[in-house]
Amino acid sequence: MSIDPDVAIGATLPPQRFSWTANDVQTYHLAIGAGSRPLDHAELRYLDDAKPQVLPTFATVAATFHATEAPRVQFPGIDIDLAKVVHGSQEVITSGPIPAAGEAETITRITEIWDKGSAAVIVQEAVTTAPDGTELWRTRSSIFARGEGGFGGERGPSNKIEMPTRTPDAEVAVPILPQQALMYRMCGDRNPLHSDPEFARAAGFPRPILHGLCTYAMIAKAVTDTVLDGDSTLLRSIGTRFAGVVYPGETLACRIWDEDGRFLVGVSVPDREDAPILADTIVITGNLSIR
């Protein structure tokens, strides 16, 4: 059996100690599309040589930014073929603006495993702290492992969010470059699903797909630029569920609703009959409203 819930649930993974530089932050921002408006001062804040503002989604890559090998889905009680795995959900909650450079340690626990019948969902929670013990950010994420369900576990809760039926308060198109996935690989995620056509076909996709975390970050940037005046320090948390795949070269429609201090976001691909990409997406910010 590839999953042993009795061993996995509650397991704490080895601590990850890491550091990052302003150059790493610049590279990350370029990989998610920053710099497309090179004469815009607000845009260039993402790419400042000394102190670039840091999009909070950098938290998802900081610990593994310099990895050069494909990841392994091997944890206590879990050993799954990488080709079976896609990202299920992601949430980042920051304690304040992420420094442009620093050192930190992340402690991750496996908190839940849900049995979806044809698949399993594995949930991890992590806390990242600075060397002096100051908490920098928390993350909660899940991976969806196809073919790994049916072990008799609970299906898990439904956290579906009802989206407003009114017209969005803001809408923005987010173009995905043909080489977007190849650039994002430079941020430490070398899963061949995003670069190797043969591997992608073997995994059931017609061609390589974009990293879910790249889509997540590009939407976080789109929301920041559209409703937060390009100031990433106002973004405190963003959570989402990955509802569909993105292919490099597509354009996403990002629709934003201001709901009394939080933003609800819907993301789809208009050219594929508005196929949903991100669902149940909530952005929590400072007290800024666009209505």
Side-chain angles (χ1 to χ4, degrees):
M1 188 177 191
S2 299
I3 299 177
D4 184 342
D6 292 335
V7 173
I9 296 175
T12 298
L13 307 188
Q16 294 174 289
R17 296 181 180 87
F18 57 95
S19 62
W20 68 96
T21 67
N23 187 69
D24 296 333
V25 172
Q26 288 176 299
T27 299
Y28 175 71
H29 288 156
L30 286 169
I32 62 170
S36 61
R37 303 187 305 278
L39 302 183
D40 184 336
H41 175 72
E43 181 77 1
L44 293 176
R45 284 185 291 179
Y46 292 105
L47 302 169
D48 184 84
D49 284 335
K51 291 185 177 181
Q53 70 166 359
V54 185
L55 199 67
T57 54
F58 180 73
T60 64
V61 302
T64 56
F65 193 86
H66 297 287
T68 57
E69 297 183 359
R72 295 181 178 180
V73 191
Q74 295 178 339
F75 311 117
I78 297 172
D79 188 353
I80 302 172
D81 182 353
L82 182 62
K84 295 182 177 181
V85 172
V86 293
H87 224 97
S89 64
Q90 182 68 54
E91 182 180 24
V92 170
I93 303 171
T94 62
S95 300
I98 296 177
E103 298 179 7
E105 178 181 86
T106 294
I107 301 294
T108 302
R109 293 188 308 114
I110 300 172
T111 58
E112 300 154 40
I113 299 179
W114 305 119
D115 186 348
K116 300 297 185 180
S118 62
V121 174
I122 301 163
V123 181
Q124 298 181 1
E125 295 182 359
V127 178
T128 298
T129 55
D132 65 0
T134 301
E135 183 176 309
L136 298 174
W137 63 76
R138 291 176 176 256
T139 63
R140 178 180 170 86
S141 64
S142 69
I143 58 174
F144 188 86
R146 293 171 294 173
E148 296 296 335
F151 53 84
E154 297 182 12
R155 284 191 59 84
S158 174
N159 299 315
K160 183 177 176 57
I161 296 171
E162 293 297 327
M163 301 300 286
T165 57
R166 60 183 172 82
T167 301
D169 296 297
E171 187 167 357
V172 59
V174 182
I176 310 298
L177 296 174
Q179 68 271 34
Q180 202 84 58
L182 298 177
M183 293 192 298
Y184 191 80
R185 291 180 79 244
M186 300 298 101
C187 301
D189 189 336
R190 304 304 180 106
N191 187 337
L193 179 61
H194 309 294
S195 60
D196 185 332
E198 292 183 5
F199 188 94
R201 283 193 292 271
F205 300 100
R207 53 195 171 99
I209 64 175
L210 187 66
H211 306 68
L213 288 181
C214 184
T215 304
Y216 171 74
M218 294 182 78
I219 294 305
K221 182 179 183 298
V223 172
T224 299
D225 294 345
T226 304
V227 302
L228 301 180
D229 296 326
D231 185 354
S232 68
T233 65
L234 295 175
L235 199 160
R236 286 290 175 262
S237 72
I238 176 170
T240 197
R241 177 173 61 84
F242 298 100
V245 299
V246 176
Y247 294 99
E250 294 187 313
T251 296
L252 307 180
C254 175
R255 302 176 178 96
I256 307 168
W257 288 267
D258 184 351
E259 291 286 292
D260 300 323
R262 65 177 188 170
F263 296 101
L264 303 184
V265 184
V267 182
S268 62
V269 180
D271 288 346
R272 280 196 271 132
E273 299 180 349
D274 237 18
I277 298 301
L278 299 185
D280 305 330
T281 305
I282 302 178
V283 175
I284 305 296
T285 72
N287 296 321
L288 184 64
S289 174
I290 59 175
R291 287 196 289 156

